[in-house]
Amino acid sequence: MIFKGYISSRKLLDGSINHQKVQNLVIRDACHKRKYEYKLSLTEYGVKNCFLAFNQILLEIEKDKFDGIAFYSLTQLPEKKADREKLYKIIIKKKKKILFSLENKLVSNISEIRKLENLLKIKYLLKFTPKKIKY
Amino acid sequence: MYYNNYSKSEKNYLNKGLIIKETENKKSLFYINKIIKQKLIKILKINIKIKNFNLNKLHNYINEKNINQIRLSLIESVNKDKNFKKEFLKVAQKMLSNIVGNELAMQNNINLSIQIPNDESSLLPIHSDTWSGDSPFETVLWLPMVNCYKTKSMFILDAKKMNKFNKIFKNKKIKTISDLYKKFKKDLNFIKINYGNYLLFNQNIPHGNLINTTNETRISLNCRFKGLFTPYSQKELGSFFSPLKLRAATKIGLEYKMPGEKKNK
């Protein structure tokens, strides 16, 4: 199974940012562990709210150019639900898979998409919760 | 006082975003070419003499499946050669000093591209390095090992179209990288450059490559340079760049202590 890598060059949803070299290593390792063939990553542009590379990957997976998308992390997903739903629709319709390498999560059906959405919502809300623990 | 009496080369770089010139040191170019061939012969385990090895025909020995592994092995192997970086710098040292400065930071590893005919796996769609974590203060030195033309080469946006590009980029109709490419296709020019020349280009200007539809393979090297003390982006000093040379005044400044202060051991 061929997985196309997808890495970022701007801050992720949780505010983290990692070297592209590290993102690629994490994806390569996750694909290797699952015996997926890793196809060179496409890098999302650093321009704010830009998802040209994300949409490009959707276009290509719809044309069956690969079997899955290997994200570095689930926090790379677009903040707008409508944009994420475009991805989910294609995954279901074309029977493809999404691998979130850092979290080691594979998503390929509706029930896994629901779990993923819950996790994302919690992660997003955590941005607004207190950061310090007072013992 | 601010001087802006730019040299002809600087004006060219500012207006066109690129400079193509004959390499400043032929011996260095031959050394680089020899090392690449030597290492490739070893990696590919082929029985051929260096002088008979035509890099244009490299696709006879590799395919789409193993190309990236071979490319990575070659990058690792050439960068281990103790003279490689020094010789690479020598091919355009004077121009780099003119365009970037004489106190430089150089990319730790010289990068290498292999574009075999009809290979879809090694494409770099239209992009500016600055959009992917590079500092706008960087310049790319691009050195072909073969003659490059049409799709065997890279394309770059006509620098005069940058304003138009920046305005249109956020157009809602542009949803994918393919849309962006199609919109600017007529403003993108493939660089014609022969072996023996180097290209110095402004990586803020959108560039990329397409499937190589010629019947020859392209091998080219690329390396980023910037002023040592200009701002860094995600490609940082240490992990991605290293100082190339510290000028005497900088060395004094770095080691200076106020009277009475102890020197660091």
Side-chain angles (χ1 to χ4, degrees), chain B residues 40 46 86 118 126 206 258:
Chain B
L40 264 173
I46 50 175
K86 191 176 74 189
N118 305 313
I126 186 167
M258 283 292 193

Side-chain angles (χ1 to χ4, degrees), chain A residues 24-68:
Chain A
N24 276 326
L25 274 172
V26 173
I27 295 176
R28 193 183 294 272
D29 179 56
C31 287
H32 177 75
K33 278 179 182 158
R34 291 176 186 262
K35 295 192 169 59
Y36 295 152
E37 191 184 321
Y38 162 58
K39 202 173 171 188
L40 225 57
S41 294
L42 195 59
T43 309
E44 188 57 79
Y45 300 152
V47 182
K48 203 178 169 189
N49 293 325
C50 172
F51 283 99
L52 292 184
F54 174 79
N55 289 331
Q56 183 69 30
I57 288 193
L58 296 193
L59 189 78
E60 289 178 12
I61 200 168
E62 212 171 2
K63 288 180 184 168
D64 290 320
K65 287 198 174 178
F66 30 82
D67 307 296

Side-chain angles (χ1 to χ4, degrees), chain B residues 187-201:
Chain B
D187 300 320
L188 301 169
N189 303 313
F190 280 96
I191 290 167
K192 190 177 183 312
I193 179 171
N194 285 344
Y195 172 63
N197 294 320
Y198 68 81
L199 161 72
L200 201 65
F201 76 94

Side-chain angles (χ1 to χ4, degrees), chain A residues 2-103:
Chain A
I2 301 171
F3 272 66
K4 176 80 178 168
Y6 175 69
I7 59 170
S8 289
S9 48
R10 59 170 187 258
K11 277 185 183 174
L12 306 183
L13 195 65
D14 59 358
S16 68
I17 188 160
N18 255 316
H19 281 261
Q20 287 167 32
K21 193 175 171 180
V22 175
Q23 294 183 50
N24 276 326
L25 274 172
V26 173
I27 295 176
R28 193 183 294 272
D29 179 56
C31 287
H32 177 75
K33 278 179 182 158
R34 291 176 186 262
K35 295 192 169 59
Y36 295 152
E37 191 184 321
Y38 162 58
K39 202 173 171 188
L40 225 57
S41 294
L42 195 59
T43 309
E44 188 57 79
Y45 300 152
V47 182
K48 203 178 169 189
N49 293 325
C50 172
F51 283 99
L52 292 184
F54 174 79
N55 289 331
Q56 183 69 30
I57 288 193
L58 296 193
L59 189 78
E60 289 178 12
I61 200 168
E62 212 171 2
K63 288 180 184 168
D64 290 320
K65 287 198 174 178
F66 30 82
D67 307 296
I69 306 168
F71 284 71
Y72 161 66
S73 162
L74 59 89
T75 50
Q76 284 176 283
L77 285 168
E79 210 169 316
K80 278 187 194 165
K81 198 175 177 190
D83 290 337
R84 296 197 298 273
E85 273 172 353
K86 280 194 282 184
L87 166 70
Y88 303 149
K89 268 184 193 166
I90 294 170
I91 297 304
I92 299 299
K93 190 179 146 199
K94 303 287 288 184
K95 295 193 169 82
K96 303 286 182 183
K97 295 180 194 298
I98 337 171
L99 175 64
F100 297 104
S101 309
L102 189 66
E103 296 85 3

Side-chain angles (χ1 to χ4, degrees), chain B residues 154-165:
Chain B
M154 58 172 260
F155 62 72
I156 189 163
L157 182 77
D158 180 345
K160 292 186 197 100
K161 308 285 179 180
M162 269 310 285
N163 284 342
K164 176 186 163 192
F165 186 92

Side-chain angles (χ1 to χ4, degrees), chain A residues 52 56 59-60, chain B residues 126 176-183:
Chain A
L52 292 184
Q56 183 69 30
L59 189 78
E60 289 178 12
Chain B
I126 186 167
T176 65
I177 298 175
S178 302
D179 294 341
L180 192 63
Y181 173 76
K182 279 177 206 154
K183 188 83 191 165

